[in-house]
Amino acid sequence: MEKRLTIRIWLLLGLILLLVISVLALSYRTFALRESKSKALAIAELVRDTLTSYMVMGVMDRRNEFLARIREIPGVESIKVIRGESVIKQFGPGSLLETPQDDLEKKVLAEGKVVEFLEESIGKTTYKVVIPYKAVPTKGINCLNCHQAKEGEVLGAISLTMDITPVRNISLILLLALGFIFFLGMISAGIILKKFFQPYVKLMEQVKYAAQRAKEGDFTYRITTELKDEAKDLVDNMNKTFEHLDRMLREIEEKVRAMIGYSVLKTGDILS
């Protein structure tokens, strides 16, 4: 019985540990990605607003210098400004980096919606966001004053790719540390639970043995326990009951002897 109870306790604690680690892993992953996305969007919006100011001031020829500084920000793997169809018609195609290089960038220029993409592997995790730049008034600046485009038309896009591997690795380290601490806690809890239930398991084994002895007609066995709660009261009552039955049956045995005039064969079973 004790062995079965121990196995059940460890199985239960193991399932709890697995569940907690899964929840922690999901929570840390979600938190890390949310923070990385927030940083990426902030950088992309900064680039958009800065380039808008450059256009107004007529210093767009300094955009490459500005983008080079953005690329020096820790975590920024690549950033580029992509020209839309109307801008190409008006100002030319620009450099190779200012043309869409993948389906995500083409999709943003076609649909005018923000597109995000997370690429994960064992060794590296990158987050890419492409933000459209539309011909709409932005913070008091009317793009149509300079651009020959329809209102709401996509003028271009900002494509930003960030390496969030360090963030993921830190989250993984924290997860492993918390998982190890929780594992130690589970071990301690298992030892405490086993120590707590052990006296009760021994008591149940004694009750089972006493019941078997009583079934065979032997009421001389007395249950012992170190417990001080209701289990102690149960033990005392069972011992008193067995003692009363043992005494009563022995008195009956003596009366039977006296009635029939000879000794009853001793078999160890008072009931026989």
Side-chain angles (χ1 to χ4, degrees):
M1 182 182 294
E2 182 177 356
K3 184 177 180 180
R4 291 198 301 270
L5 180 61
T6 301
I7 293 175
R8 290 173 183 173
I9 288 175
W10 287 116
L11 284 176
L12 176 61
L13 293 178
L15 290 175
I16 294 175
L17 177 63
L18 181 62
L19 177 62
V20 170
I21 290 179
S22 299
V23 172
L24 286 175
L26 180 61
S27 299
Y28 271 103
R29 181 181 184 277
T30 302
F31 174 77
L33 291 179
R34 184 173 65 247
E35 291 301 310
S36 299
K37 289 181 179 181
S38 178
K39 181 179 179 181
L41 289 173
I43 293 175
E45 291 175 358
L46 171 65
V47 172
R48 181 195 63 189
D49 294 342
T50 301
L51 292 181
T52 300
S53 300
Y54 276 18
M55 292 179 193
V56 173
M57 293 185 295
V59 291
M60 276 298 289
D61 56 321
R62 299 179 57 184
R63 64 184 182 277
N64 290 333
E65 179 183 347
F66 170 70
L67 293 176
R69 292 181 180 178
I70 294 296
R71 295 187 186 98
E72 294 176 0
I73 297 176
V76 176
E77 186 171 279
S78 67
I79 185 168
K80 60 181 180 178
V81 178
I82 306 169
R83 296 192 177 195
E85 184 177 349
S86 62
V87 175
I88 293 176
K89 289 180 180 179
Q90 184 177 358
F91 299 102
S95 66
L96 181 62
L97 292 177
E98 294 178 327
T99 58
Q101 301 295 320
D102 55 37
D103 293 337
L104 292 180
E105 296 171 353
K106 294 177 182 178
K107 181 178 181 181
V108 172
L109 292 177
E111 300 179 0
K113 297 180 180 179
V114 177
V115 174
E116 302 172 84
F117 179 70
L118 180 69
E119 183 176 2
E120 292 184 278
S121 63
I122 297 178
K124 188 176 183 179
T125 300
T126 57
Y127 169 70
K128 181 174 183 176
V129 59
V130 185
I131 300 178
Y133 192 96
K134 298 183 179 180
V136 294
T138 304
K139 297 180 180 181
I141 301 175
N142 191 352
C143 301
L144 296 178
N145 291 334
C146 301
H147 289 278
Q148 298 175 2
K150 299 178 182 179
E151 185 172 356
E153 184 178 348
V154 178
L155 299 175
I158 297 170
S159 178
L160 172 66
T161 302
M162 295 195 66
D163 182 3
I164 61 174
T165 305
V167 178
R168 183 197 64 176
N169 292 342
I170 292 175
S171 299
L172 180 60
I173 292 174
L174 290 175
L175 174 63
L176 292 176
L178 288 176
F180 180 71
I181 293 174
F182 195 80
F183 174 74
L184 293 180
M186 288 290 98
I187 295 293
S188 301
I191 295 174
I192 293 174
L193 287 174
K194 181 180 179 181
K195 186 176 181 180
F196 174 79
F197 283 112
Q198 195 169 31
Y200 292 94
V201 173
K202 291 182 178 180
L203 174 59
M204 291 299 102
E205 291 176 346
Q206 288 191 72
V207 170
K208 181 179 178 181
Y209 180 71
Q212 183 63 33
R213 292 274 295 269
K215 182 180 179 181
E216 297 172 356
D218 182 3
F219 295 92
T220 60
Y221 184 76
R222 298 294 178 263
I223 303 173
T224 60
T225 183
E226 298 177 355
L227 297 170
K228 304 297 182 182
D229 53 12
E230 290 80 0
K232 176 64 175 176
D233 297 334
L234 174 64
V235 169
D236 292 340
N237 290 332
M238 290 188 66
N239 285 335
K240 289 178 182 179
T241 300
F242 286 161
E243 183 178 356
H244 176 71
L245 289 173
D246 184 59
R247 183 174 63 254
M248 183 179 65
L249 290 175
R250 290 188 183 281
E251 290 176 357
I252 293 174
E253 179 186 10
E254 294 299 328
K255 292 179 179 180
V256 171
R257 287 181 186 178
M259 290 177 61
I260 63 179
Y262 59 88
S263 299
V264 178
L265 180 63
K266 295 290 184 179
T267 62
D269 185 348
I270 300 179
L271 299 179
S272 61

